[in-house]
Amino acid sequence: MNGRTAVLNKLRAALGVARDDEARTQAVAWRLAETPTGVVPARGRLPEKDRVALFCEKARQVSASVERVASIDDVPGAVSAYLRARNLPASVRMGTDARLKAMPWQTAGSLKVEPGPAGPQDEAGVSFAFAGIAETGTVLLYSGEANPTTVNFLPEHHIVAVDASDIAGDLEAALSAIRQAFGKGTMPRTLNLITGPSRSADIEQTLLLGAHGPRALHLIVIDGS
Amino acid sequence: MQITSPAFKENARGALADPQLQRALGHVRSGFIDKRKVAVDALPEFDALRESARAIKDHTLTHLDLYLEAYERKVEEAGGRVHWAETAEDARAIILDICRASGARTVTKGKSMITEEIGLNAFLEKEGIRPVETDLGEYIIQLRNEHPSHIIAPAVHLNRDQVETDFRHAHTHLPEERDLSEPVALLGEAREVLRSQFLAADVGITGANFLVAETGSSVIVTNEGNGDLTQTLPKVHVVVASIEKVVPTLEDLSQILRLLARSATGQEMSVYTTLSTGSRRPNDPDGPEEYHVVLIDNGRSAMLGTEFQEMLRCIRCGACMNHCPVYHAVGGHAYGWVYPGPMGAVLTPALAGLDKAGHLPNASTFCGRCEAVCPMKIPLPKMMRHWREREFERALNPAVDRYGIKVWAMFARRPRLYRLATSLAMPALALVGRRKGAFRRLPLASGWTQYRDLPAPEGRTFMQQWRDRSVSGGAEI
Ligand code: SF4
């Protein structure tokens, strides 16, 4: 008997149920199809303006830095100012996301944009978030042809642009937007929910920023689109 | 790993006499409790979420076979493979096969308690494959050849200077005169050393906090980002997960995620919550080419349908041990296996056997704080009591204890006899102990008097005093 049959048989024996119990099958099929919503905290249920403000506040509480710009055309300038202020080389790693590509990078002076997945030498990476989540100050990114996952983890500085109108109140709303974008039950290879820069408290419970992932997370909220 | 739970008493004695450990345990007492409280108080819906999460898990557990099958279908649709392991041994063999097939020499690992449970590291080493732990705490204890002493803070039993000594010992390629006096320097050094390991590994092994049946996703929740590098950079990603990790839908996942980080570290959300589904897609620029999930039973199915079923709701947040006075006193290693604290006292006898872990359910003051803080509302004290009963039935206690309990039971069933015996014994003890007001030694009570004096009775029993009071106060007995 293979492992699969053995484990499933043990489970059914322990539960005292038969493989083909109609009521159980129905109950499971219903839940998977209907995806009932549970308790959603009231804190995210806000009009857009307040929702965006909550997102910014929550993100700052977890040590992300946040700036707001009026339009996507302002993002390249904001990125290059961020790098300059920290004495970082004027170079960023970036996927080929259409929204990023549409930005006027040539206006950002000498800023060099390196397309493709990140390597260990990259100091700064830029991504465009699929959504923000106001209740916790989280950004949601997914992997795909134009969005390498390594950009989110290898560079020391991760700069994430997020459209204010993509900021959801709560986790459920952001995940159901994913469900709509990809089709029910279908997912990209990787979905990253990122809440602040990486950290560790493994030595004497002292909280330190910059463990294996980025030391700094900079969010650029685009207000006017 | 070698189980030392049978020696819990000796382990505990050693732990209490270890000044380094006692200093380190101070961080548990001070850190976790306050942070959790702040986060919980800031979310008015916290208790409603606990109820919701409990209902989700109870529903899932009673339909576990079907949700696992649904989960498996979705993983395979997304280009992944699911392997089923009845035992730890089966799981190790499956993982070794996957590593061999990809010609792996080095595997990086994200933090995972289940791989501790199945003793994966020692096994892989024996087979000539080098496992590299990448979570900072896990990395430190791997250097020391130790095991985690806490399920979310594996190195919580250590102090900074011990870590410095270990790093100087292990990283001999770095200049001797470097300054490691601050934790931040230690973190920086670990980051540098592990970077090259991430990039060189052939296989990345992670655990899973959750598996989502609706989408076939495995979910890891971390703060450091090591789990993500572990599962993104190598060409093979292996997820090792026990069968009770499955939840039905993304909505159900959302409910429980709100409880996990708050209960564990007092964060509202951990830094990285990552859902992985299948292997790299045709045009993806990065990510693993192969994605395997090893589903492990290893004793869980035997808990279903018993008084221990509710333990399978556990999400491994660690709140129960963070609030446990026994854990605070002796730390995690004294428990002698992978899972310490109250959750370990319930889980270890179930998974490793009551004959080996029979002492653990006694390592409790029954103060009830574990149950009060458990986000999944697991009745830990009740289950510890079940184990005690089973232990007694199986006559695993020393003969004197069993005899003592039998005598007590005899009296308990005969209240008059009990009253008579105590009314005779109290004046007698009072007489003997009157001079000092306490006993330093008493036959049959050495378990108490070895560590503290037993106050001598005043001469009247509780029942007698109660009766007198009731007469004046009018109450009935
Ligand atoms: S028993 Fe409860 S408190 Fe303890 S680790 Fe499990 S979920 Fe957390």
Side-chain angles (χ1 to χ4, degrees):
Chain A
M1 191 163 45
N2 67 20
R4 183 178 192 281
T5 322
V7 173
L8 289 171
N9 284 353
K10 274 192 188 172
L11 291 176
R12 290 186 181 118
L15 291 166
V17 296
R19 164 88 187 78
D20 49 4
D21 182 327
E22 194 50 36
R24 297 176 77 243
T25 313
Q26 293 272 322
V28 167
W30 179 84
R31 193 171 190 102
L32 292 176
E34 297 301 320
T35 63
T37 306
V39 177
V40 180
R43 78 154 71 135
R45 249 175 273 138
L46 296 166
E48 180 173 323
K49 189 168 144 287
D50 300 335
R51 201 162 65 223
V52 176
L54 177 66
F55 170 81
C56 297
E57 181 197 326
K58 286 288 169 191
R60 288 194 182 104
Q61 276 173 15
V62 292
S63 309
S65 50
V66 185
E67 72 174 296
R68 297 177 72 157
V69 299
S71 100
I72 58 163
D73 293 344
D74 300 325
V75 174
V79 169
S80 82
Y82 175 89
L83 299 176
R84 249 194 334 272
R86 286 157 188 80
N87 278 324
L88 294 167
S91 165
V92 289
R93 173 66 59 179
M94 205 166 87
T96 50
D97 188 283
R99 290 166 302 180
L100 288 174
K101 272 198 358 204
M103 292 173 182
W105 293 96
Q106 65 291 347
T107 60
S110 56
L111 185 66
K112 201 161 115 212
V113 177
E114 312 248 24
Q121 70 295 336
D122 293 321
E123 296 228 38
V126 177
S127 314
F128 204 110
F130 172 79
I133 301 168
E135 67 168 312
T136 48
T138 302
V139 282
L140 194 166
L141 300 106
Y142 64 79
S143 65
E145 186 174 357
N147 294 290
T149 303
T150 40
V151 173
N152 307 345
F153 292 97
L154 281 173
E156 301 243 323
H157 295 260
H158 189 203
I159 303 169
V160 181
V162 57
D163 206 311
S165 62
D166 290 334
I167 294 174
D170 46 70
L171 183 54
E172 281 85 345
L175 290 176
S176 65
I178 282 284
R179 196 181 272 139
Q180 273 186 0
F182 287 83
K184 170 138 178 37
T186 308
M187 293 283 266
R189 149 66 199 171
T190 305
L191 201 67
N192 292 123
L193 292 151
I194 300 179
T195 313
S198 88
R199 64 199 61 197
S200 175
D202 272 347
I203 300 172
E204 295 190 346
Q205 296 297 296
T206 312
L207 182 70
L208 301 169
L209 295 184
H212 297 291
R215 261 179 236 281
L217 176 70
H218 185 64
L219 304 177
I220 303 177
V221 178
I222 306 160
D223 278 312
S225 36
Chain B
M1 70 184 265
Q2 190 76 30
I3 183 163
T4 68
S5 308
F8 176 75
K9 286 188 187 171
E10 293 74 28
N11 295 349
R13 213 167 285 141
L16 289 167
D18 179 345
Q20 278 272 24
L21 174 66
Q22 290 301 322
R23 190 153 67 86
L25 286 172
H27 301 304
V28 178
R29 286 189 288 261
S30 60
F32 287 116
I33 295 179
D34 295 346
K35 286 188 211 137
R36 174 194 168 276
K37 188 168 181 330
V38 170
V40 168
D41 290 349
L43 188 69
E45 293 89 351
F46 191 79
D47 264 322
L49 282 159
R50 287 173 78 197
E51 268 310 324
S52 164
R54 172 179 39 192
I56 290 167
K57 273 287 190 180
D58 283 348
H59 164 79
T60 313
L61 289 171
T62 51
H63 299 81
L64 191 53
D65 52 330
L66 298 173
Y67 279 116
L68 287 170
E69 285 178 324
Y71 166 76
E72 179 189 42
R73 269 195 302 279
K74 293 308 285 187
V75 174
E76 291 183 348
E77 267 175 43
R81 274 206 59 192
V82 176
H83 310 257
W84 301 69
E86 236 185 308
T87 63
E89 197 187 343
D90 295 349
R92 289 191 299 258
I94 292 166
I95 298 165
L96 179 64
D97 278 351
I98 299 169
C99 291
R100 287 257 163 85
S102 65
R105 302 166 61 114
T106 307
V107 307
T108 39
K109 287 186 66 209
K111 197 179 121 35
S112 140
M113 294 310 295
I114 185 77
T115 61
E116 292 284 341
E117 181 185 319
I118 64 170
L120 185 62
N121 286 3
F123 173 77
L124 288 179
E125 267 167 43
K126 197 169 71 44
E127 299 293 336
I129 295 170
R130 196 167 67 95
V132 181
E133 293 289 350
T134 61
D135 170 84
L136 178 61
E138 292 280 351
Y139 177 67
I140 292 167
I141 60 169
Q142 189 182 28
L143 289 182
R144 299 173 63 86
N145 210 1
E146 287 182 351
H147 294 284
S149 66
H150 188 289
I151 59 174
I152 64 156
V156 77
H157 59 288
L158 298 171
N159 294 298
R160 191 210 53 79
D161 44 329
Q162 292 168 289
V163 180
E164 175 175 352
T165 310
D166 296 331
F167 277 22
R168 290 195 184 280
H169 192 72
H171 306 155
T172 46
H173 63 288
L174 295 170
E176 247 174 71
E177 61 286 358
R178 69 195 189 281
D179 181 7
L180 290 177
S181 57
E182 292 297 325
V184 68
L186 294 166
L187 177 66
E189 184 162 314
R191 178 183 165 111
E192 286 317 306
V193 170
L194 285 167
R195 263 300 152 103
S196 52
Q197 307 285 348
F198 282 124
L199 296 159
D202 309 292
V203 173
I205 299 179
T206 67
N209 293 85
F210 306 97
L211 306 170
V212 185
E214 178 197 353
T215 56
S217 311
S218 57
V219 184
I220 58 169
V221 177
T222 71
N223 277 321
E224 296 185 6
N226 64 307
D228 289 278
L229 291 172
T230 298
Q231 65 168 42
T232 306
L233 297 172
K235 57 182 188 297
V236 180
H237 175 199
V238 182
V239 178
V240 187
S242 49
I243 49 176
E244 82 281 13
K245 297 283 173 194
V246 72
V247 294
T249 66
L250 293 172
E251 277 71 11
D252 296 328
L253 171 71
S254 307
Q255 296 291 288
I256 306 179
L257 278 176
R258 288 201 181 90
L259 299 171
L260 177 57
R262 287 179 173 90
S263 302
T265 52
Q267 289 166 282
E268 297 203 311
M269 185 90 172
S270 299
V271 177
Y272 301 114
T273 300
T274 302
L275 285 72
S276 305
T277 315
S279 50
R280 170 205 287 223
R281 305 297 146 81
N283 296 320
D284 281 2
D286 51 21
E289 284 151 30
E290 286 178 39
Y291 175 75
H292 299 265
V293 182
V294 184
L295 285 178
I296 303 179
D297 180 345
N298 203 31
R300 274 121 183 123
S301 57
M303 295 167 73
L304 269 187
T306 72
E307 65 263 59
F308 303 107
Q309 171 167 324
E310 292 182 89
M311 192 60 218
L312 296 173
R313 290 202 301 263
C314 175
I315 55 171
R316 308 285 189 267
C317 72
C320 54
M321 60 199 73
N322 294 341
H323 290 75
C324 175
V326 177
Y327 183 94
H328 289 169
V330 301
H333 284 156
Y335 291 80
W337 201 50
V338 186
Y339 304 108
M343 57 81 76
V346 176
L347 206 53
T348 309
L351 300 182
L354 187 56
D355 53 332
K356 297 205 185 71
H359 285 314
L360 301 185
N362 297 317
S364 162
T365 64
F366 285 94
C367 66
R369 284 161 83 190
C370 51
E371 181 175 359
V373 298
C374 174
M376 304 307 288
K377 295 199 151 188
I378 299 173
L380 293 153
K382 188 179 91 188
M383 286 192 281
M384 281 186 244
R385 266 195 297 271
H386 286 318
W387 278 128
R388 288 189 187 189
E389 283 158 24
R390 285 215 189 172
E391 189 191 15
F392 183 69
E393 280 162 21
R394 290 172 42 150
L396 291 171
N397 273 314
V400 181
D401 291 9
R402 258 182 297 140
Y403 178 72
I405 292 173
K406 281 218 179 99
V407 171
W408 189 84
M410 190 264 290
F411 277 120
R413 276 194 293 268
R414 298 172 182 78
R416 255 176 232 219
L417 194 60
Y418 177 78
R419 261 174 253 159
L420 177 68
T422 49
S423 66
L424 291 175
M426 286 306 118
L429 283 174
L431 206 63
V432 183
R434 182 162 297 155
R435 239 178 309 136
K436 289 206 177 118
F439 294 97
R440 313 224 41 195
R441 226 172 274 126
L442 207 57
L444 296 176
S446 65
W448 180 281
T449 56
Q450 198 177 344
Y451 299 104
R452 47 234 184 284
D453 295 346
L454 180 75
E458 300 282 328
R460 291 167 57 72
T461 69
F462 170 77
M463 291 294 220
Q464 287 165 343
Q465 295 183 44
W466 178 255
R467 198 161 40 230
D468 292 352
R469 284 187 177 214
S470 314
V471 170
S472 49
E476 281 287 313
I477 298 182

